[in-house]
Amino acid sequence: MKDCPRIVRYLKTSAAKREIDLHPNVAEFLQRYTTGTSGLLFCTANGTPHLYANLEDRWLTPRLVKMGLDEEGMGWHSFKRFRKTWLRGRRCLEDINNFWMAHKPQTMSELYSHLHEELEMRLAEAERVEYGLGLPKSTSAECGDKGVAAVIAPSAPRKSGAKSGDEVAA
């Protein structure tokens, strides 16, 4: 059923629920983005969930090609590689870095560490290391909103002859 978007009221696995530590600027942006909304935050024009492959094929890959960055392995996982590189470059505490990357402990030292339980320390580290990307100026969260300058995970048109304004600039 992966090709049929639907909303369910349960999590598929226990790993589907995560605590996310955000830089204050990102938290503020998301708070503005979600104000006055309900339901899905990132949905298609008709209110259904985005399909992973459609977003990659219709939205991400064309932008990577346009920037000359499309190569084998450059998909959604490249964001995770960027984040890991950014965190290492900012000398993020390795135990917190591994927690944020959802990596399982590999050594006894990592196993014994409980920094993942120290919320205040994680939030301070999130603020210190920053996030490495610019935030869009627009905070419109309305599904199918075609008139904004920048939207996260927009609905990309299926046909090349789409009407003006259907595709949102990256």
Side-chain angles (χ1 to χ4, degrees):
M1 299 287 296
K2 73 176 188 172
D3 294 332
C4 180
R6 60 192 168 99
I7 300 170
V8 294
R9 299 208 178 269
Y10 59 88
L11 299 176
K12 187 174 174 183
T13 68
S14 60
K17 182 177 182 179
R18 292 220 181 120
E19 223 174 274
I20 307 296
D21 304 324
L22 300 173
H23 185 279
N25 293 353
V26 176
E28 180 186 349
F29 174 82
L30 287 174
Q31 195 162 27
R32 285 193 324 262
Y33 185 82
T34 60
T35 299
T37 64
S38 62
L40 296 172
L41 293 180
F42 310 111
C43 57
T44 64
N46 59 1
T48 60
H50 282 285
L51 294 175
Y52 175 85
N54 287 353
L55 275 176
E56 186 163 9
D57 295 344
R58 298 179 192 157
W59 188 81
L60 179 61
T61 301
R63 282 161 176 79
L64 291 173
V65 168
K66 188 175 180 180
M67 293 185 292
L69 297 174
D70 189 41
E71 57 186 61
E72 189 66 33
M74 283 294 287
W76 295 113
H77 199 70
S78 61
F79 289 102
K80 193 168 185 176
R81 289 193 299 269
F82 167 83
R83 180 68 175 157
K84 183 68 174 180
T85 303
W86 177 264
L87 292 174
R88 281 221 170 144
R90 302 293 290 185
R91 306 227 188 286
C92 178
L93 294 170
E94 193 61 22
D95 295 343
I96 293 177
N97 187 327
N98 288 337
F99 174 73
W100 287 339
M101 300 302 292
H103 292 165
K104 291 183 180 179
Q106 301 275 325
T107 66
M108 288 307 291
S109 178
E110 291 172 354
L111 188 62
Y112 286 160
S113 173
H114 284 260
L115 283 180
H116 65 277
E117 296 173 357
E118 301 292 334
L119 178 60
E120 286 184 29
M121 187 180 293
R122 291 192 339 248
L123 292 175
E125 189 73 345
E127 187 168 2
R128 185 188 70 76
V129 300
E130 300 180 326
Y131 44 94
L133 298 170
L135 292 173
K137 292 181 183 3
S138 170
T139 57
S140 175
E142 183 180 331
C143 288
D145 185 352
K146 306 287 189 198
V148 294
V151 175
I152 299 170
S155 297
R158 291 176 188 222
K159 300 176 185 149
S160 61
K163 292 183 285 184
S164 173
D166 278 354
E167 184 169 336
V168 181

